[in-house]
Amino acid sequence: MNSVNFKREGVATTECALALPVIIAFTLFTIDICSVIFLKEAVTIAAYEGARVGIQRNGNDAIVEFRVREFLDQRGIVYDNPVFVEDPGFDDADEMEHVRTVVTVPAAGNLPFGWFFTGTDVSASVTMRKEFRNAN
């Protein structure tokens, strides 16, 4: 063997050693980004589902929280205290008054890797009008 072949083998090994970690990191980052997009969509649907049951006749904050937790549990999403209903809540809203539901879940525990999104939350809000005033 001559020295030219050794130089070419060394260049290929060096290129692989430099490029492979970048390609792996890019692949893992892409998987996490796609998972965050999916998680954001699920959290948005959870907020919608909660608000939808809250605007109906005799809908209240407890029913909203139950529906959101039920939806998140069905999808295996990890959460601490996911639901916040802004004032006026579904309990006290008048007919045709806007009520905003906010759902927040941590990114950690909901992503396959999560290295790029540690300490971040995914949040979504939905605003709907209360269809009926609750009977007091």
Side-chain angles (χ1 to χ4, degrees):
M1 268 190 173
N2 60 26
S3 62
V4 174
N5 288 338
F6 286 125
K7 288 181 183 178
R8 287 186 183 170
E9 289 175 8
V11 169
T13 304
T14 304
E15 287 176 355
C16 183
L18 293 174
L20 191 59
V22 173
I23 291 170
I24 290 172
F26 182 73
T27 302
L28 296 178
F29 182 71
T30 303
I31 291 170
D32 264 1
I33 286 288
C34 292
S35 298
V36 166
I37 292 169
F38 176 76
L39 183 61
K40 174 71 173 177
E41 186 65 24
V43 169
T44 302
I45 295 169
Y48 172 82
E49 288 289 323
R52 189 71 196 125
V53 297
I55 64 172
Q56 297 172 4
R57 189 178 307 277
N58 296 323
N60 57 38
D61 295 347
I63 291 172
V64 170
E65 185 170 344
F66 176 79
R67 180 61 187 131
V68 169
R69 288 177 183 270
E70 179 182 48
F71 184 88
L72 295 176
D73 288 341
Q74 288 172 349
R75 278 143 185 84
I77 296 173
V78 177
Y79 57 87
D80 293 325
N81 190 11
V83 184
F84 174 72
V85 178
E86 289 185 355
D87 286 333
F90 292 100
D91 296 330
D92 301 324
D94 289 330
E95 186 176 338
M96 301 306 287
E97 188 171 5
H98 288 98
V99 183
R100 186 171 181 226
T101 305
V102 181
V103 177
T104 305
V105 299
N110 290 312
L111 303 177
F113 304 108
W115 300 320
F116 304 102
F117 298 99
T118 55
T120 58
D121 291 334
V122 176
S123 183
S125 67
V126 171
T127 303
M128 290 190 179
R129 288 184 181 173
K130 181 78 172 159
E131 292 177 351
F132 303 98
R133 182 184 174 105
N134 289 348
N136 290 335

